[in-house]
Amino acid sequence: MTESGKPILYSYFRSSCSWRVRIALALKGIDYETVPINLIKDGGQQFSKDFQALNPMKQVPALKIDGITIHQSLAIIEYLEETRPTPRLLPQDPKKRASVRMISDLIAGGIQPLQNLSVLKQVEEELQLTWAQNAIISGFNALEQILQSTAGTYCVGDEVTMADLCLVPQVANAERFKVDCTPYPTISSINKRLLVLEAFQVTHPCRQPDTPTELRA
Amino acid sequence: MKQVPALKIDGITIHQSLAIIEYLEETRPTPRLLPQDPKKRASVRMISDLIAGGIQPLQNLSVLKQVEEELQLTWAQNAIISGFNALEQILQSTAGTYCVGDEVTMADLCLVPQVANAERFKVDCTPYPTISSINKRLLVLEAFQVTHPCRQPDTPTELRA
């Protein structure tokens, strides 16, 4: 914690996993400080000894809060939900909660890890774009189908949930990797509705302390 | 997602193993698979997500098939080694008898199958004494034995216990 007692978020402006947590903090009205970790500069600041001690997985995000350090974005979000329960990020009904977690895990465990920087670096350079696109397309094919039964205004019903916090950053990744989202009208329309909400705007990669000048909003 | 597991229960179908387990925990709360304390729950989820999101997806069948055949073993090993290096460190602060304290939690349910994967991919687990000893303690428990891959309805004869 800082001297002021504020939580500290270790984040990279463009990291989709970091963005999920930024949205959760914004929605819950939790004031925090950002320590930017540049995943590319200096060979990747996530590999520094200091950061490795904080998160042995050498990944962002990590959150220092209430005297502990948590990493893994969904573990962070569930902790915030349990300790700062309003507004809710998970519905009350267990079956709806299962849908929220299922969608979140599909994105956070089934798509993003396959197209993150450290995995792409292990693929031959000329194959990297196709690799990333395939990961996203496989996942979005499944997600578009799942949303047929779960979605209302947002991913699960009509309230913003943890699933939506995962969706928007993943769609941003899809755009970065030039994935054609025309086959995914439900994903696209939910994404559009979420992007107008303040919490998704203020936490956007284009408005972060470490956003490079040329990418700033 | 064209993956296992999927569970049909209470009139719904859930997939994603951790979403299934959390649903079981919320609807059949005893015995607990997550501690009561939010900070310990965070540790359980952190370890579970590290394995289920940070290791396994990188070495599962559909990903390995996209890698050249002669590189597949190394690819799988690297995924596991990176993850286990981190996990061994994390367990220094969370582990008691098991991954988080002295009760079996969702984290332990993730650990044992991942160690089995490590063995299948010939990963040397000597650098991971905490992972190895927790795994050993868990494997003697009945729930881990009856559910072992060598005792399933679809276990091939030559791999049956």
Side-chain angles (χ1 to χ4, degrees):
Chain A
M1 306 273 276
T2 64
E3 277 173 27
S4 61
K6 277 192 217 173
I8 302 174
L9 178 69
Y10 298 81
S11 160
Y12 181 53
F13 77 101
R14 202 155 59 179
S15 148
S16 63
C17 310
S18 302
W19 192 3
R20 295 174 199 147
V21 173
R22 295 199 297 259
I23 301 167
L25 291 163
L27 283 169
K28 290 192 179 280
I30 299 167
D31 201 13
Y32 63 97
E33 288 204 14
T34 304
V35 171
I37 302 290
N38 195 309
L39 303 184
I40 299 168
K41 218 169 127 196
D42 307 329
Q45 292 171 347
Q46 69 276 29
F47 300 114
S48 77
K49 257 191 166 161
D50 285 342
F51 188 73
Q52 198 174 333
L54 200 83
N55 180 2
M57 271 303 258
K58 296 172 271 190
Q59 292 171 337
V60 285
L63 183 70
K64 262 185 172 166
I65 188 169
D66 302 337
I68 58 168
T69 302
I70 318 171
H71 50 90
Q72 298 296 331
S73 62
L74 301 188
I76 296 172
I77 294 167
E78 296 251 18
Y79 178 80
L80 295 176
E81 179 73 352
E82 289 181 354
T83 55
R84 283 100 172 140
T86 27
R88 309 190 71 91
L89 288 177
L90 281 145
Q92 249 173 310
D93 171 61
K95 292 180 184 181
K96 294 203 171 91
R97 289 163 79 82
S99 291
V100 170
R101 288 187 174 117
M102 193 167 75
I103 292 167
S104 305
D105 288 354
L106 189 159
I107 295 170
I111 305 179
Q112 195 280 337
L114 305 185
Q115 46 90 144
N116 78 12
L117 197 63
S118 55
V119 169
L120 286 185
K121 276 200 219 166
Q122 295 178 63
V123 177
E124 279 183 60
E125 206 174 335
E126 61 267 25
L127 299 174
Q128 287 178 7
L129 185 62
T130 315
W131 178 285
Q133 289 173 339
N134 286 344
I136 296 170
I137 289 166
S138 302
F140 274 17
N141 285 344
L143 184 55
E144 180 70 20
Q145 223 177 304
I146 290 162
L147 290 173
Q148 303 310 309
S149 33
T150 65
T153 312
Y154 304 117
C155 284
V156 178
D158 300 319
E159 304 295 328
V160 173
T161 66
M162 184 167 69
D164 301 296
L165 275 51
C166 294
L167 185 93
V168 165
Q170 190 58 61
V171 174
N173 277 355
E175 287 164 0
R176 229 172 79 227
F177 290 114
K178 310 191 211 309
V179 170
D180 173 19
C181 286
T182 328
Y184 316 117
T186 318
I187 291 174
S188 302
S189 53
I190 293 172
N191 183 64
K192 217 171 162 184
R193 268 173 238 135
L194 289 163
L195 277 175
V196 301
L197 302 176
E198 190 187 356
F200 289 78
Q201 292 217 355
V202 305
T203 57
H204 195 285
C206 70
R207 292 184 185 90
Q208 294 311 296
D210 57 330
T211 308
T213 329
E214 65 274 17
L215 296 172
R216 271 198 175 286
Chain B
M1 273 299 260
K2 293 175 270 190
Q3 292 171 337
V4 283
L7 184 69
K8 260 184 169 167
I9 188 170
D10 303 336
I12 58 168
T13 302
I14 318 170
H15 51 90
Q16 297 298 328
S17 62
L18 302 187
I20 296 171
I21 293 166
E22 296 250 19
Y23 177 80
L24 295 176
E25 178 74 351
E26 289 182 355
T27 54
R28 283 99 172 138
T30 28
R32 312 188 70 92
L33 289 177
L34 281 144
Q36 250 174 311
D37 172 60
K39 291 180 184 181
K40 294 203 170 89
R41 290 163 78 83
S43 291
V44 170
R45 288 187 174 116
M46 193 167 77
I47 292 166
S48 305
D49 287 355
L50 189 159
I51 296 169
I55 305 178
Q56 194 280 338
L58 305 185
Q59 46 91 141
N60 77 15
L61 198 62
S62 56
V63 169
L64 285 185
K65 276 200 219 166
Q66 296 179 63
V67 177
E68 278 185 62
E69 205 174 334
E70 62 266 25
L71 300 174
Q72 286 178 8
L73 185 62
T74 315
W75 178 285
Q77 290 173 339
N78 286 344
I80 296 169
I81 290 166
S82 302
F84 274 16
N85 286 343
L87 184 55
E88 181 69 21
Q89 226 176 302
I90 289 161
L91 290 172
Q92 302 311 309
S93 33
T94 64
T97 312
Y98 303 118
C99 283
V100 178
D102 301 320
E103 304 294 328
V104 173
T105 66
M106 183 167 70
D108 301 296
L109 277 51
C110 294
L111 184 94
V112 164
Q114 189 57 60
V115 174
N117 276 356
E119 289 164 359
R120 231 172 79 228
F121 289 115
K122 310 190 211 312
V123 171
D124 173 19
C125 286
T126 329
Y128 317 117
T130 319
I131 292 175
S132 302
S133 52
I134 293 172
N135 182 64
K136 216 169 162 187
R137 269 173 237 137
L138 290 162
L139 277 174
V140 301
L141 301 176
E142 190 189 354
F144 288 79
Q145 291 216 354
V146 304
T147 58
H148 195 284
C150 69
R151 293 185 185 90
Q152 294 311 294
D154 55 333
T155 307
T157 329
E158 65 275 16
L159 297 172
R160 271 200 175 285

